[in-house]
Structures are given as structure tokens and as C-alpha cells.
């Protein structure tokens, strides 16, 4: 689950509530039937059954529906309480992993049929409680069509041979494997949650049930000196095939984040230090120019690292939607960008863990589209008191297919979904690419909103002035907060931005755009504060 406190704390609270409710039910059974008390063994059995029943409601998506909107479609999985996580898309199938039932699922893109294969060893499968599972954070297909995936509970890397239907498992040299990627020869780079090293797997020398074929590439850890060892973990790994370069990240949540670049040809490691507020670099991907893109899973920020000089360009999602909590979000509410991938057209895709969206950022135009996921589970969000329409889908992982298909899993909803990339987004937003403004002055930024269909939209703004996308002590206001755009027309809206006198000089990014409900479209504007 999340490394961030919001969701983790919510889960802890739910466990406590489950325990309290179980105790209350036991007391009712014991003392509410004319004093006919049950034996301790009977009470323990009933308490366990009640705990399991309540946990199923939270984890299993027992009453899940295949929701959809104009851009996102969902599919309920064929078996109960799969708790899907890792997902991979190839030319003809979507592959997904059940963290509870221990199955590798297959969904045919041609005819929509499901098929599931039981993984030979999966201890969580025999547990009656859905709260027992093994997180399969990563899944990928190789050039032969085989499916590889991680198994954190057993510290294994699995391979499914699609040709004969057999599974092989390899011991992972990194404790609790979380991320891997292939190089141009089909060999593997891997990191584990607690490994603090990069590992290289020479596939032809790897033997099932052993560590053979793996070598360790030690990472310099000087920046984490003085931090308790258990707090330091790996984020992910991404291979730049064109340059034979491997990127990986380490983090100590709320303390330190660092990026590493391993030049495989030169056998050299370069270290990229991150600023104080970016302590959760989890997702990593490389664009066509060799730049690294990273999601910070402790904020609402994603950023680009220029490998030439180590400079960072920060971007931010829109602020957390009021639909998540059923009330206007506070200024310290985050969206938690999680995993990130690049498609064949150079678009950067990532999922918002708490924001309940799938994002597409296009570097060439500096525009972003956010796709709302049409499922909300109130058990997994800090819903406002009295709110009845709130929550999130727990879309913890996603995959980009070779033809640009976008599929994601909903861990506690027993579903997976897809972004219908073939559906045209009728809304577009344009604004100046860069402005300069002095502290104490104001800037009038003209934002043009165009649409190919009749739309009612709400104007939105966020910025890298804070880690949540809020403007902090600065202010900004649109001349019109809500507008109606007729098909084939455009409207211009003024956004007046006033940087706070206390704002440090430097370059920031404003994200200005329009929210239609199912989609939000934003344009990045670089703001030079002098």
C-alpha cells in the first residue's frame, strides 16, 4: 500500500474499527441472548469469522461494478477477491497478477475473454483472510512473449512461459523485489524494497530456485548516512536502451531522496541529489532525449532530470479533487503520483494514487490530460463527515502497451480498467509558455480554452510553489471560474497571478487549465520570479 501517511493511517484506523466492531459483536452475542454465554473457543472462532467478513468488504470489492465514462472503461475480474496489482500489456493480451489468489490472469484484447493460471506456490492463497497477500508490484513481457513478475512476500522473480504454460521462479537478490527492466539483450536489472543496490541478472545463467546469474552493483549511500537503515528503500529501475544506461532511485520517506545513473558500458555511477522536499522518488522512466522522469510519491509533484547537468524541472498535478473527500480539499492534501511510463509517441503517463486519475503529460507541448477513474470506495479515503459520494479506486499500478494502450489495476475493487486513448479529447488549453514577474507585482496570464463539442468546464490552477499544488502565500484568480464553450469555438480567460513577497526568486511552474469532470486539461507555464 502507500508509503504516505494519509492512506496508511486510514487503513490502520479501519483495522482498529474492525477490531472494535468485532469485540462489540462478540459482546452482543455473549450477553444479548438471555445470559447464554459461549465458550472462549466459540467466541474466538466467531470473532475471527467476523474479522474476515469485515476485511472482505474492505479488500475484495465484493459488490464492484464495471463503471465507465467517456474515456475510461472498467472490467470486473472473473474470480472473487483477486486484489490485482502488477499488470503488463503486449500486442494481444493484458496480463495481471492476483496478490491474494496467486493467479496470473490473461485478458484477450481481441475477444474480451479471461483466462487464469495458478502460480505454483502462493501462501496467501490458502489464508481465509483477504488482508494476507503478496504485492506483485511489477510485471513485464519479454521479446519471446514470456511474462515476468515480482513476488515480494517470497522474494522471488517469476517467469511464465507462454508457449508451454509453465512457471519458473528465481530467488531475488534484492529483498522484496519491487521493480525490474530489460536491457537490449533481454537481460534484467532489478531492485528490491530493502536492497539498496542495483542487481543485474544474466538471464541465460539464471537457474530456477537459486541466485545464480545475478551480480550486485553497489550504490553509494553517503547521502543516507545517519538515517535508520530500515527507513531507506528502493524506488524503481528504468533502462535507457538507446544509451545503455540504467536509472534507479532510493528514498527515506520525509528525509531524503536520491537518483542514480549507471553507465553500463563504462561501469560508472553518477549521483543526482534531490532537494529537501522531494523525498519519495518512486516511479522512473526515460524519454527519447535521455531525460529521466520521476514521480514523487509523497507529494503532488513529478519532475524531469536533465542527465547533462542534473537540473530538475518540476511539474504538479491539479490539486486533489473535492470528489475524493466529499468536501473541498485542504491546502495540504496531496495526489501522490506513483508509477510512470513513456509511450512510443513520447508521452509520459503516470497514475495518481490518491488523486484517482491517470495522467498523460506531453513534453513537446507542455500539456497534460488527467483522466478521472469512475470508481470510488469510501473505505480508502478520508471522507468528510456526512459525505456519501467520496473515495478512490486504489489504482496502484498501470501499464503502457506497445500500441499505446493504457491499462491499470484497482487493488481493492477486484477490477482492472483501461483509458480509451482512441476517444478524442475535445478540450484544449493554451497559454504563454513562460512569464517573468516581480514579487509584489502581478501577471495577467491569458488562457485560451477551445472545444470540439459543447462543454461546461471549471477553470483550475495549481503550481510548484508547494508540494501539494496549492499556491501557498501567493494568489491567483480567474476572471471567470466557470465557462461554457460551444462546439468549434474558444474562449479566453484571464488569470491574474500575484506572487507572495516572501516567495524565493527562481523558476516555478503554474498548471492552468479546465476541468470537465471526466477529464482535466492543463498547460504548463514557467514562471520566473525575480
Amino acid at each position: 500500500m502507500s508509503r504516505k501517511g494519509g492512506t496508511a493511517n486510514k487503513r490502520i484506523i479501519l483495522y482498529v474499527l474492525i477490531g472494535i466492531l468485532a469485540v462489540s459483536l462478540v459482546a452482543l452475542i455473549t450477553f444479548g441472548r438471555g445470559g447464554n454465554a459461549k465458550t472462549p473457543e466459540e467466541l474466538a472462532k466467531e470473532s475471527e469469522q467476523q474479522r474476515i467478513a469485515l476485511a472482505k468488504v474492505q479488500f475484495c470489492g465484493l459488490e464492484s461494478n464495471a463503471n465507465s465514462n467517456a474515456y475510461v472503461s472498467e472490467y470486473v475480474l472473473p474470480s472473487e477477491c483477486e486484489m490485482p496489482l502488477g499488470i503488463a500489456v503486449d500486442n494481444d493480451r493484458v496480463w495481471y497478477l492476483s496478490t491474494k489468489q496467486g493467479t496470473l490472469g490473461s485478458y484477450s484484447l481481441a475477444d474480451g475473454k479471461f483466462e487464469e493460471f495458478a502460480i505454483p506456490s502462493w501462501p496467501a492463497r490458502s489464508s481465509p483472510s483477504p488482508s494476507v497477500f503478496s504485492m506483485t508490484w511489477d510485471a513485464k513481457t519479454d521479446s519471446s512473449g514470456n511474462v515476468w513478475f515480482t513476488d515480494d512476500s517470497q522474494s522471488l522473480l517469476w517467469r511464465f512461459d507462454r508457449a508451454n504454460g509453465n512457471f519458473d521462479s528465481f530467488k531475488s537478490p534484492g529483498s522484496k523485489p519491487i521493480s525490474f527492466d530489460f536491457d537490449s539483450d533481454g537481460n534484467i536489472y532489478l531492485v528490491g524494497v530493502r536492497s539498496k543496490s542495483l542487481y543485474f541478472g544474466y538471464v541465460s545463467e539464471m537457474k530456477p530456485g537459486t541466485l545464480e546469474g545475478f551480480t550486485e552493483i553497489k550504490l553509494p549511500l553517503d547521502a543516507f548516512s545517519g538515517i535508520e537503515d530500515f527507513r531507506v528503500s528502493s524506488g524503481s529501475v528504468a533502462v535507457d536502451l538507446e544509451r545503455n544506461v540504467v536509472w534507479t532511485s532510493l528514498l527515506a520517506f520525509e528525509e531524503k531522496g536520491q537518483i542514480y545513473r549507471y553507465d553500463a558500458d563504462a561501469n560508472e555511477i553518477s549521483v543526482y541529489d534531490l532537494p529537501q522536499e522531494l523525498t519519495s522518488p518512486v516511479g522512473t522512466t526515460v524519454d527519447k532525449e535521455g531525460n529521466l522522469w520521476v514521480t514523487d510519491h509523497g507529494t503532488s509533484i513529478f519532475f524531469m532530470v536533465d542527465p547533462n547537468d542534473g537540473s530538475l524541472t518540476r511539474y504538479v498535478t491539479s490539486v486533489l479533487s473535492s470528489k475524493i473527500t466529499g468536501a473541498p480539499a485542504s491546502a495540504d492534501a496531496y495526489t501522490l503520483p506513483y508509477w510512470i511510463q513513456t509511450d512510443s509517441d513520447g508521452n509520459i503517463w503516470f497514475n495518481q494514487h490518491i488523486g484517482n486519475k491517470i495522467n498523460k503529460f506531453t513534453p513537446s507541448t507542455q500539456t497534460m490530460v488527467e483522466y478521472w477513474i469512475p470508481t470510488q470506495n469510501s473505505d480508502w479515503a478520508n471522507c468528510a463527515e456526512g459525505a456519501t459520494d467520496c473515495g478512490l479506486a486504489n489504482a496502484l499500478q498501470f501499464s503502457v502497451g506497445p500500441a499505446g494502450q493504457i491499462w491499470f489495476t484497482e487493488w481493492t475493487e477486484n477490477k482492472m480498467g483501461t483509458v480509451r486513448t482512441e476517444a478524442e479529447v475535445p478540450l484544449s488549453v493554451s497559454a504563454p509558455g513562460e512569464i517573468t514577474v516581480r514579487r509584489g507585482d502581478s501577471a495577467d496570464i491569458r488562457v485560451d480554452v477551445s472545444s470540439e463539442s459543447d462543454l461546461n468546464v471549471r477553470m483550475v490552477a495549481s503550481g510548484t510553489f508547494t508540494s501539494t499544488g496549492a499556491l501557498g502565500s501567493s494568489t491567483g484568480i480567474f476572471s471567470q471560474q466557470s465557462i461554457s464553450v460551444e462546439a468549434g469555438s474558444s474562449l479566453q480567460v484571464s488569470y491574474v497571478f500575484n506572487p507572495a513577497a516572501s516567495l524565493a526568486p527562481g523558476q516555478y511552474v503554474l498548471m492552468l487549465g479546465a476541468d470537465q469532470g471526466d477529464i482535466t486539461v492543463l498547460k504548463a507555464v514557467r514562471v520566473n520570479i525575480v
Side-chain angles (χ1 to χ4, degrees), residues 165-295:
N166 293 332
F167 287 89
D168 289 315
S169 64
F170 307 89
K171 288 185 178 180
S172 172
S175 175
K176 294 186 175 294
I178 191 171
S179 174
F180 68 94
D181 204 0
F182 297 107
D183 69 7
S184 56
D185 295 320
N187 295 312
I188 289 174
Y189 286 93
L190 176 144
V191 293
V193 173
R194 300 300 178 196
S195 66
K196 305 177 188 64
S197 289
L198 178 65
Y199 294 93
F200 174 74
Y202 195 64
V203 172
S204 65
E205 296 182 0
M206 291 166 54
K207 294 182 180 180
T210 75
L211 290 170
E212 291 188 38
F214 282 101
T215 58
E216 181 180 12
I217 303 166
K218 290 186 177 296
L219 302 174
L221 303 176
D222 296 348
F224 296 91
S225 176
I227 298 176
E228 293 176 289
D229 186 69
F230 78 91
R231 296 182 62 87
V232 182
S233 60
S234 294
S236 62
V237 61
V239 177
D240 184 342
L241 297 175
E242 184 175 338
R243 298 162 186 84
N244 201 21
V245 162
V246 185
W247 294 88
T248 189
S249 60
L250 281 179
L251 59 139
F253 177 65
E254 292 186 334
E255 292 192 61
K256 182 64 184 174
Q258 198 144 51
I259 302 295
Y260 300 86
R261 180 182 185 270
Y262 173 64
D263 186 324
D265 293 330
N267 192 27
E268 294 179 350
I269 296 175
S270 301
V271 180
Y272 297 81
D273 206 28
L274 295 182
Q276 182 177 339
E277 63 273 19
L278 299 177
T279 63
S280 299
V282 174
T284 55
T285 191
V286 183
D287 67 20
K288 294 180 179 179
E289 286 70 42
N291 301 307
L292 181 73
W293 292 80
V294 185
T295 48

Side-chain angles (χ1 to χ4, degrees), residues 426 451-455 485-488:
S451 179
E452 296 302 319
S453 60
D454 293 341
L455 286 181
V485 188
E486 296 181 352

Side-chain angles (χ1 to χ4, degrees), residues 59-61 77 79-86 97-101 129-136 380 409-415:
F59 287 98
C60 294
L77 299 183
S79 300
E80 183 180 278
C81 199
E82 299 213 32
M83 298 179 66
L85 185 53
L97 276 304
S98 164
T99 65
K100 177 65 183 73
Q101 304 302 341
S129 174
S131 59
V132 178
F133 41 80
S134 181
M135 300 302 275
T136 56
W380 293 92
T409 51
E410 299 180 18
W411 186 55
T412 54
E413 304 309 301
N414 210 45
K415 292 187 294 187

Side-chain angles (χ1 to χ4, degrees), residues 234-492:
S234 294
S236 62
V237 61
V239 177
D240 184 342
L241 297 175
E242 184 175 338
R243 298 162 186 84
N244 201 21
V245 162
V246 185
W247 294 88
T248 189
S249 60
L250 281 179
L251 59 139
F253 177 65
E254 292 186 334
E255 292 192 61
K256 182 64 184 174
Q258 198 144 51
I259 302 295
Y260 300 86
R261 180 182 185 270
Y262 173 64
D263 186 324
D265 293 330
N267 192 27
E268 294 179 350
I269 296 175
S270 301
V271 180
Y272 297 81
D273 206 28
L274 295 182
Q276 182 177 339
E277 63 273 19
L278 299 177
T279 63
S280 299
V282 174
T284 55
T285 191
V286 183
D287 67 20
K288 294 180 179 179
E289 286 70 42
N291 301 307
L292 181 73
W293 292 80
V294 185
T295 48
D296 187 77
H297 191 239
T299 65
S300 299
I301 292 174
F302 63 104
F303 58 93
M304 187 196 80
V305 179
D306 185 330
N308 298 311
D309 59 10
S311 61
L312 269 65
T313 303
R314 281 174 257 200
Y315 301 88
V316 70
T317 68
S318 59
V319 297
L320 189 75
S321 171
S322 61
K323 292 189 288 187
I324 298 296
T325 59
S330 65
D332 60 356
Y334 39 61
T335 60
L336 298 189
Y338 214 167
W339 303 98
I340 188 167
Q341 293 187 38
T342 308
D343 69 19
S344 58
D345 292 327
N347 299 304
I348 309 296
W349 291 85
F350 62 91
N351 56 322
Q352 293 185 31
H353 179 177
I354 300 299
N356 211 52
K357 296 176 180 179
I358 305 292
N359 282 40
K360 180 180 78 170
F361 183 79
T362 304
S364 60
T365 60
Q366 295 284 287
T367 56
M368 183 164 67
V369 180
E370 299 184 328
Y371 296 88
W372 175 256
I373 298 170
T375 284
Q376 294 182 262
N377 184 335
S378 60
D379 284 342
W380 293 92
N382 291 312
C383 294
E385 185 176 356
T388 57
D389 186 13
C390 60
L392 51 99
N394 258 331
L396 297 189
Q397 188 55 282
F398 79 102
S399 179
V400 178
Q405 314 100 313
I406 308 297
W407 286 79
F408 58 92
T409 51
E410 299 180 18
W411 186 55
T412 54
E413 304 309 301
N414 210 45
K415 292 187 294 187
M416 64 179 183
T418 182
V419 177
R420 298 178 54 238
T421 53
E422 74 279 4
E424 182 179 355
V425 175
L427 186 64
S428 62
V429 174
S430 62
E434 188 170 353
I435 65 167
T436 298
V437 58
R438 291 183 177 278
R439 290 173 292 174
D441 290 346
S442 63
D444 188 349
I445 307 171
R446 302 302 174 94
V447 182
D448 292 295
V449 181
S450 304
S451 179
E452 296 302 319
S453 60
D454 293 341
L455 286 181
N456 296 316
V457 299
R458 178 177 61 89
M459 302 303 294
V460 293
S462 58
T464 59
F465 310 99
T466 70
S467 61
T468 65
L471 301 187
S473 298
S474 301
T475 60
I477 186 169
F478 287 102
S479 57
Q480 294 175 265
Q481 190 60 60
S482 299
I483 60 174
S484 297
V485 188
E486 296 181 352
S489 67
S490 64
L491 287 176
Q492 187 174 87

